Amino acid sequence: MSVFAIDALKDRHVLITGATGGIGYETAKVLISMGAKVTVTGRNPDKLCQLEKDLLQLASKNKICVVLADITKEKDRTNLLQTAEEKQGYISDLVNAAGVSGGAPVEQLETDVIEQLMDINYFSTFRLTKEVYQKMIPVKRGNIVNVASLSGLRGTYGNSAYASTKFAMIGWTQSMALEAIEYNIRVNAVCPGFVDTDMAHDILKKKAERNDISYHQALENATKSIPSGRLTTALEVANTIAFLLTDAAQNIVGESVKISGGSVLR
């Protein structure tokens, strides 16, 4: 059952990138249940197809736009925005959930790995956001939520590449928020820790290999390090994003909302 009113996002059109990932997927379902029209995009056609089926259980087809796209490619970004606007109209809200993990200790890092992560997690998101934002300015209305990470707030072992992309996203969020609020456009970020998604489980598998322990031991170690004693769910992150898009959050500007189970308290 949704914790939000079914019309909380009525007359809104939300573009969600990375919708084939765990957080983006759940966010799409939450937002459409709040009355929003949604455009969802990602690189996995099978997951996009399944997401469309799930969304059709929650709303009519005219509220759903599905576009297969790789936002690192300019032609895909152009097609995505053109299709979204033609089918659903003005994009009033943007959720940047596209991203990948990866990395290694500095002495093992190759430059191309860092460049690839930065391109996907930061530069491509920045480019897409700039295009959407420029159309929000004359309307003087809009919301942007960036899915960052606790890795954008503090460093951890072997995480230089990924953390760099998320620190960049946090700095950009804060700076852009100060510019955008002049146009009544709010920019914020959410910073989840370990979320019960494929990405987090892949990270735990790599930790297990690096430390020569089992995956289950790595998972147990991770949950023990969290005061709440469990991983965050994708739905919890989606609900936080949804709140930031509502009118209840009108004076929340440039924030990085932690979802850490108590593991990061600064």
Side-chain angles (χ1 to χ4, degrees), residues 92-218:
S92 60
D93 303 81
L94 172 63
V95 177
N96 287 313
V100 295
S101 63
V106 170
E107 71 273 14
Q108 299 172 23
L109 268 178
E110 299 294 336
T111 303
D112 61 343
V113 172
I114 301 172
E115 290 175 346
Q116 181 184 41
L117 282 175
M118 191 64 79
D119 188 27
I120 296 171
N121 292 358
Y122 178 63
F123 287 122
S124 297
T125 295
F126 182 95
R127 293 182 185 112
L128 179 71
T129 300
K130 181 180 178 182
E131 293 184 59
V132 175
Y133 174 61
Q134 287 175 321
K135 294 186 178 181
M136 288 178 172
I137 289 174
V139 180
K140 293 192 174 181
R141 177 172 61 90
N143 291 288
I144 298 167
V145 178
N146 294 322
V147 179
S149 169
L150 294 182
S151 292
L153 301 173
R154 51 92 174 100
T156 53
Y157 183 90
N159 203 28
S160 294
Y162 180 71
S164 295
T165 71
K166 295 304 181 177
F167 267 86
M169 178 171 274
I170 293 297
W172 163 46
T173 297
Q174 293 177 358
S175 296
M176 184 179 178
L178 297 177
E179 301 166 9
I181 196 60
E182 296 179 7
Y183 304 103
N184 194 37
I185 298 163
R186 294 187 300 108
V187 184
N188 290 287
V190 293
C191 298
F194 275 121
V195 182
D196 192 3
T197 61
D198 290 342
M199 180 186 287
H201 289 293
D202 287 342
I203 292 170
L204 289 172
K205 287 173 185 174
K206 290 176 183 176
K207 279 193 172 187
E209 292 172 5
R210 185 171 67 235
N211 296 312
D212 196 25
I213 59 176
S214 70
Y215 162 76
H216 293 291
Q217 185 61 57

Side-chain angles (χ1 to χ4, degrees), residues 220-245:
E220 184 178 344
N221 292 345
T223 54
K224 281 182 178 179
S225 71
I226 303 171
S228 66
R230 66 173 179 84
L231 304 185
T232 298
T233 67
L235 179 58
E236 288 171 321
V237 182
N239 282 335
T240 305
I241 293 168
F243 168 70
L244 289 172
L245 295 179

